Amino acid sequence: MTTSQTFPGPAAEIGVIGGSGFYSLLDDAEEFRVDTPYGAPSDPVAVGELNGRRVAFIPRHGRDHRFPPHAIPYRANLWALRALGVRQVLAPSAVGSLVAEHGPGTLAVPDQLVDRTSGRAQTYYETGAAIHVPFSDPYCSTGRRAAVDAARVTGWDPVDGGTLVVIEGPRFSTRAESRWFAGQGWTLVGMTGHPEAVLARELALCYTPLCLVTDLDAGVDTGEGVTMAEVLEVFHANVGRLRALVGDVVTRLPDERPCACPNVLDGMKLPLELP
């Protein structure tokens, strides 16, 4: 494996951001250390081939899980992927379920997001111009369809749709909070899906979540509540299956993007130059 500071052209077309327990993806990969205006990404970006496609991989928390959810360099991660040529992003993550019937081991591909974080930098356009990106549908419709279809073919029947509420963390929810989230009709709870999704939209990237349910959230389950050990145990038991699914989705993503994502910045005068 080699490292590099520069790259003469697009190095990858698809990006994967791995969640808790998902620290590697590619064999025989080349590592790129990408400098960004927002500091270094969570780790050097690994680039290699996966099912005939050029893929870039970043472990969201770092390979040693050193970044808690509120401290992940989200802006650097997405900027680095775009700088390497990535235009479509798959985002596996561990989540809790707010619905009793969707227990541990369930795969969900939500279609909506609610932000309950605080204090995280969540835009590239802080000064110089008022840039308002459309976000009514936060995830790529083409990517979601590819993910759902790929899962069904493998026999991992996914939950197609639902709402992911993203909390600040790093603590888990209280029972009262969990019951409140469920009472709003939200179905999943996690800590990392925002600002990741909106930053991808601000860079005109396609972004598709792949949510692995690791636990029933505190207000759904009558047990002792969620623990980190429980989350990692379920994730580790399913990470091989999740890696295989990522490869299957990669093969289904189109070469040319037919969705609205590439055009979200059309007509806007940006205050910075995108990579």
Side-chain angles (χ1 to χ4, degrees), residues 14-217:
I14 296 168
V16 178
I17 304 176
S20 298
F22 198 140
Y23 304 128
S24 63
L25 176 66
L26 304 166
D27 297 324
D28 194 26
E30 181 180 8
E31 286 191 348
F32 290 88
R33 297 185 179 274
V34 185
D35 295 323
T36 86
Y38 310 96
S42 298
D43 253 333
V45 186
V47 177
E49 283 210 4
L50 181 63
N51 293 352
R53 308 288 293 273
R54 293 289 292 174
V55 172
F57 176 78
I58 296 179
R60 184 183 286 117
H61 296 277
R63 277 173 285 195
D64 54 359
H65 207 99
R66 66 189 179 279
F67 292 109
H70 64 285
I72 292 168
Y74 294 102
R75 290 193 293 183
N77 287 349
L78 273 300
W79 189 275
L81 289 177
R82 183 178 167 102
L84 286 166
V86 166
R87 295 297 181 268
Q88 301 181 79
V89 177
L90 301 177
S93 67
V95 300
S97 175
L98 298 167
V99 183
E101 56 267 31
H102 300 156
T106 298
L107 175 73
V109 186
D111 59 357
Q112 280 297 317
L113 178 152
V114 172
D115 172 26
R116 292 289 301 168
T117 65
S118 61
R120 301 183 185 188
Q122 57 179 295
T123 183
Y124 292 107
Y125 307 117
E126 296 175 299
T127 60
I131 303 299
H132 306 287
V133 296
F135 204 56
S136 54
D137 297 301
Y139 306 124
C140 176
S141 58
T142 299
R144 286 193 67 260
R145 180 48 47 203
V148 168
D149 289 348
R152 285 177 175 160
V153 167
T154 66
W156 198 358
D157 191 29
V159 178
D160 181 2
T163 298
L164 171 64
V165 54
V166 184
I167 60 175
E168 178 66 5
R171 68 170 177 85
F172 293 116
S173 303
T174 67
R175 294 188 195 280
E177 289 168 333
S178 180
R179 290 171 184 143
W180 177 54
F181 298 156
Q184 306 308 304
W186 307 335
T187 53
L188 304 167
V189 56
M191 299 180 189
T192 59
H194 184 86
E196 209 169 75
V198 72
L199 292 172
R201 181 62 52 87
E202 286 194 342
L203 294 179
L205 303 177
C206 299
Y207 182 92
T208 302
L210 302 172
C211 296
L212 173 64
V213 173
T214 56
D215 58 272
L216 293 177
D217 210 49

